[in-house]
Amino acid sequence: MWLQLRCGLEPKTLAALAVVLVAAGVFAAVHFWSGRPHSVRAPDPVEEAAHARTPPPAPDGVGEPEPSPGPPPGTGPGGHIVVDVSGKVRRPGIRQLPSGARVADALRAAGGVRDGADLTGLNRARVLMDGEQIVVGAPPGLSTSGGTTGVATGSGGGSAAAGPVSLNTATVEQLDTLPGVGPVLAQHIVDYRTQHGGFRSIDELREVNGIGDRRFADLQPLVGP
């Protein structure tokens, strides 16, 4: 009433002014409330977050991959072995056998032992090595065994015995040491032995290609069946 009388305002004008003042007060209150300072949570340190995501190190020797085992000793490529079976067997020659095969397996692969062959002292349960030579029925006192050729006569082991070189068990390198025998002739002797199942007597040496009467006479006292 005082403002109406003082300023000469009409009631409608005074009501509108009051509404404007109330709206301005509400707007000022809202603006003040929204602009007040807010508490902000400090972010976690980067080091702590990274440490929380990183798993703890495993104890020594735990969780590390173990090295893959290599092929067992004496195993050829692909898990197989190759052996040379000669002597008194039905089908002498090179045979491929699975890893872990024994002497008995090699004899079966060669068609079996001939009738009358002496197997005394031959360890048929012995595990074979890659590159071995198995000679059946050779005199044990005249053969060499072991080394890189792996000749198996009698018990299948031991060192070279003193005496003549055995035509049934000697390798190409051993035959090459004989007088008048070179690598080619030594290979002919081994090939004849493989094809005919071994030498039954020294006289069969005459049938080898490249050995004449004179060379046979030189070799006769130095070799044995």
Side-chain angles (χ1 to χ4, degrees), residues 69-124:
T75 302
H80 291 79
I81 60 174
V82 178
V83 296
D84 181 11
V85 185
S86 60
K88 296 182 179 181
V89 292
R90 291 186 173 87
R91 294 194 303 270
I94 303 298
R95 295 290 180 265
Q96 184 176 13
L97 302 171
S99 175
R102 302 178 184 271
V103 173
D105 300 324
L107 298 180
R108 281 193 296 267
V113 180
R114 290 183 178 181
D115 296 337
D118 184 12
L119 300 181
T120 303
L122 179 62
N123 184 5
R124 286 169 284 180

Side-chain angles (χ1 to χ4, degrees), residues 2-212:
W2 177 84
L3 185 60
Q4 183 180 3
L5 294 176
R6 181 71 177 175
C7 299
L9 297 177
E10 296 181 358
K12 293 181 178 181
T13 303
L14 183 61
L17 181 60
V19 171
V20 170
L21 293 175
V22 171
V26 172
F27 177 78
V30 172
H31 180 72
F32 174 78
W33 180 262
S34 62
R36 79 186 192 282
H38 296 276
S39 59
V40 179
R41 182 176 178 271
D44 296 333
V46 178
E47 293 80 2
E48 294 182 1
H51 181 71
R53 291 192 299 267
T54 304
D60 293 341
V62 178
E64 298 180 358
E66 297 181 357
S68 58
T75 302
H80 291 79
I81 60 174
V82 178
V83 296
D84 181 11
V85 185
S86 60
K88 296 182 179 181
V89 292
R90 291 186 173 87
R91 294 194 303 270
I94 303 298
R95 295 290 180 265
Q96 184 176 13
L97 302 171
S99 175
R102 302 178 184 271
V103 173
D105 300 324
L107 298 180
R108 281 193 296 267
V113 180
R114 290 183 178 181
D115 296 337
D118 184 12
L119 300 181
T120 303
L122 179 62
N123 184 5
R124 286 169 284 180
R126 182 174 58 84
V127 178
L128 294 171
M129 305 288 286
D130 184 48
E132 265 198 75
Q133 184 184 30
I134 304 171
V135 181
V136 179
L142 299 177
S143 62
T144 58
S145 58
T148 58
T149 57
V151 178
T153 62
S155 62
S159 59
V165 176
S166 173
L167 296 175
N168 285 320
T169 61
T171 63
V172 173
E173 292 78 11
Q174 292 169 340
L175 293 171
D176 190 17
T177 61
L178 295 172
V181 178
V184 177
L185 183 54
Q187 186 62 49
H188 287 170
I189 296 174
V190 173
D191 293 341
Y192 180 91
R193 178 179 69 196
T194 303
Q195 294 172 4
H196 296 81
F199 291 85
R200 296 168 183 80
S201 67
I202 302 176
D203 292 336
E204 290 185 29
L205 192 60
R206 296 176 181 268
E207 302 177 15
V208 177
N209 184 22
I211 296 182

